[in-house]
Amino acid sequence: MSIRRTIENNEEAGIRPSKTYQSFVTAAGGHRELNFIEKDVRNYITREVRNVSKQEDAKEFGKYLLRMKEKNQNFFFELELEEDQSIKLAFWADARSRAAFEYFGDVISFDTTYNTNRYNLVCGSFVGVNHHGQSTLLGYSLMKNEEIESFKWLFQCWLRCMRGNAPKGFLTDQCASMKRALEAYLYEDRHIWVPIYLDHHFWAGMRSTERSESMHSFFNKFITRNSSLIQFVKQYDNCLGSREQVERESDAADFPTVIPCATKSSIEAQFQDVCTHQKFREVQAQFRGKANCITRLTNFALGYSVYEVGEQVSNSIFNKFVVTYDSVAAEVKCQCLLFESRGILYRQALSMLSFERVSQVSPRYILERWSKKVKRRHTHIKSSHDEPLLEPRSKRFDQLVFRSQNICEFASESEELAAILHRAYDNVMVEMESLKAKRKGTSSLSHKDANLESVNGLQSPPRIRTRGRPKKRLGSKLDKQIANVTKKKKTKALNELNLFDAASVVHSNSSQYQARVMNYQFRVPAAVDNSLGV
């Protein structure tokens, strides 16, 4: 039982069978101390853990969605079915993801991946960025194909899930062949795919679908093309739990500690007070880069200033730039650019083009987006996680093991305590064996003491192997005597009938001979005479 439960737990956690077997070897003290090999572990996983039929797999997937809905009514899912009731499209998002969208749904990355299940369904993930700059999962989908109608259904479904609130920015990858085929069309829509036309939008640090791809790489560590749907959603739960834990740890680390400022700038101090540690480190990197830049005002007219910026890249090498910017809005725009810039602070903050890039984003929004002081509702919601459906014996075993660990840890402190526990174990074992011996044999179950657990424990009767139907009925001694007498009477009557038939035949034949040979005389035997005479 202990080995089976360890294998099952490790499989659900995504631990490879080879690692599981090696842990058994280490605990036992060597390969020779085990009575099974690694192949037995793999066979058990294939036969008992992953053995889900196609029909049962779809049913278990539907039951999983219903269980999650029962746990939290804000769990969302929708299915599109074929005529034969097979799954064509599926989308789901847990309550925590829906709540997180309120804060991190401004920019979304969507991408698809393959070879994650035995049905070749295409998997798609909706990924956002939280206030620490970490990826957060905001929904998942399974699609039978990548046709336009499938994506249309999926995006409309996702929009309903998020209560009709569309993201401000949406990043997705395009098929290379489609891109070449539609190149001239693409040019007309350059404002939605050429980076220079998108710089005035806020993208939360994302420029591609790399966030979604990294989420898929996490899944691919634990699932294969032979994985069932129920295995897939278990790993989905693990991914949600992992992302939730990382965010909680980052939140906990932001409050008790403070990262010292690198300069005496009041702007840097403002970011230090408001922003999370991760985003403040990015700001500091830009302030350090500012120290390598020397600026000189060369012209000023009509509210616009022209600066010459020299960036020192080595002891004797300088890069020179001429920057024109609006001096009135410079300080405000600078605060916005600190989050999105990719190079030196002055080079971007002083350029007129940089001001246009952030014209649609307010400084207050930027500060709240990365703030560590905002109380976000999703942090109080637990991500969806399906409880393992264990049989009663497995549940009892897990509970006993959990309690015994604390007892064993306490008793291991000294030989005296260990001896007390050993004596207690011996006494308990004697008591349990005595109770088991009393209950051995038949037992009864009535409406008075029956419960769900006792009913679930009922087993079908074993099939009894027989030798076939007996040819004769097994009767008593009297039955055998009666049968023998009856048999003798039937034999005697049958013999008399045969003799009578033989006499008739001889008499019939004798008439033929009487016509030819007159010398011989035949007589018919008497009724009581059993002999035949001539």
Side-chain angles (χ1 to χ4, degrees), residues 300-520:
F300 177 81
L302 301 177
Y304 290 91
S305 301
V306 179
Y307 278 82
E308 184 181 87
V309 181
E311 178 189 6
Q312 185 177 5
V313 295
S314 65
N315 292 335
S316 59
I317 300 178
F318 285 81
N319 292 332
K320 294 185 179 181
F321 307 91
V322 177
V323 180
T324 303
Y325 74 104
D326 184 351
S327 58
V328 176
E331 184 176 357
V332 175
K333 300 298 182 181
C334 176
Q335 295 179 15
C336 299
L337 290 169
L338 286 172
F339 294 92
E340 286 290 32
S341 61
R342 291 291 184 271
I344 302 304
L345 177 66
Y346 263 47
R347 187 191 308 171
Q348 294 192 355
L350 301 182
S351 68
M352 184 60 191
L353 182 59
S354 294
F355 296 155
E356 295 174 355
R357 292 177 183 177
V358 294
S359 60
Q360 298 183 6
V361 182
S362 66
R364 179 179 295 275
Y365 173 80
I366 294 292
L367 291 176
E368 290 182 353
R369 180 61 171 77
W370 307 115
S371 176
K372 63 182 178 182
K373 295 185 175 181
V374 175
K375 295 182 178 180
R376 297 174 174 87
R377 186 170 63 89
H378 77 282
T379 58
H380 303 287
I381 302 175
K382 184 179 179 181
S383 61
S384 65
H385 185 78
D386 194 16
E387 299 296 333
L389 302 177
L390 302 176
E391 58 180 4
R393 185 181 180 185
S394 297
K395 289 183 179 180
R396 291 192 294 268
F397 177 82
D398 290 348
Q399 293 171 356
L400 291 172
V401 170
F402 181 78
R403 292 198 63 183
S404 63
Q405 288 176 350
N406 296 330
I407 299 176
C408 294
E409 181 179 358
F410 182 77
S412 63
E413 295 179 359
S414 66
E415 291 292 340
E416 292 80 3
L417 294 176
I420 294 175
L421 183 58
H422 280 302
R423 290 195 298 270
Y425 277 153
D426 294 338
N427 295 333
V428 170
M429 183 60 72
V430 171
E431 183 178 355
M432 290 191 300
E433 289 178 348
S434 175
L435 178 61
K436 190 174 182 180
K438 292 180 180 179
R439 293 184 175 181
K440 188 175 182 180
T442 60
S443 60
S444 61
L445 183 65
S446 67
H447 66 92
K448 297 180 180 180
D449 54 356
N451 52 39
L452 183 59
E453 182 177 349
S454 61
V455 173
N456 289 334
L458 292 177
Q459 302 292 330
S460 300
R463 184 174 181 177
I464 301 174
R465 297 184 60 184
T466 62
R467 299 179 181 177
R469 184 176 179 180
K471 297 180 179 180
K472 298 181 179 180
R473 186 176 67 89
L474 300 179
S476 63
K477 184 177 181 179
L478 180 61
D479 292 336
K480 293 181 179 180
Q481 293 177 352
I482 296 174
N484 292 334
V485 173
T486 304
K487 184 178 180 181
K488 290 180 180 180
K489 290 182 178 180
K490 288 183 178 180
T491 303
K492 182 178 180 180
L494 183 60
N495 291 337
E496 293 176 353
L497 180 62
N498 291 337
L499 290 174
F500 179 78
D501 291 341
S504 299
V505 172
V506 173
H507 177 72
S508 175
N509 291 338
S510 64
S511 61
Q512 298 178 6
Y513 286 102
Q514 187 176 8
R516 297 180 184 179
V517 185
M518 302 301 296
N519 301 351
Y520 296 94

Side-chain angles (χ1 to χ4, degrees), residues 63-75:
K63 292 178 182 178
Y64 161 83
L65 298 176
L66 292 177
R67 287 195 299 269
M68 295 301 99
K69 184 68 174 180
E70 291 177 357
K71 284 188 173 183
N72 194 317
Q73 290 300 312
N74 287 327
F75 185 91

Side-chain angles (χ1 to χ4, degrees), residues 129-134 247 250-251 254 276-279 370:
V129 179
N130 65 10
H131 52 302
H132 297 287
Q134 302 163 347
E247 183 177 329
S250 300
D251 286 341
D254 280 349
T276 60
H277 285 2
Q278 179 61 34
K279 305 311 295 184
W370 307 115

Side-chain angles (χ1 to χ4, degrees), residues 5 25 198 210 221 225 265 269 274 323 369 458 514 524:
R5 293 296 298 127
V25 173
L198 302 175
E210 182 179 358
K221 293 179 182 178
R225 63 178 61 191
S265 170
V274 176
V323 180
R369 180 61 171 77
L458 292 177
Q514 187 176 8
V524 180

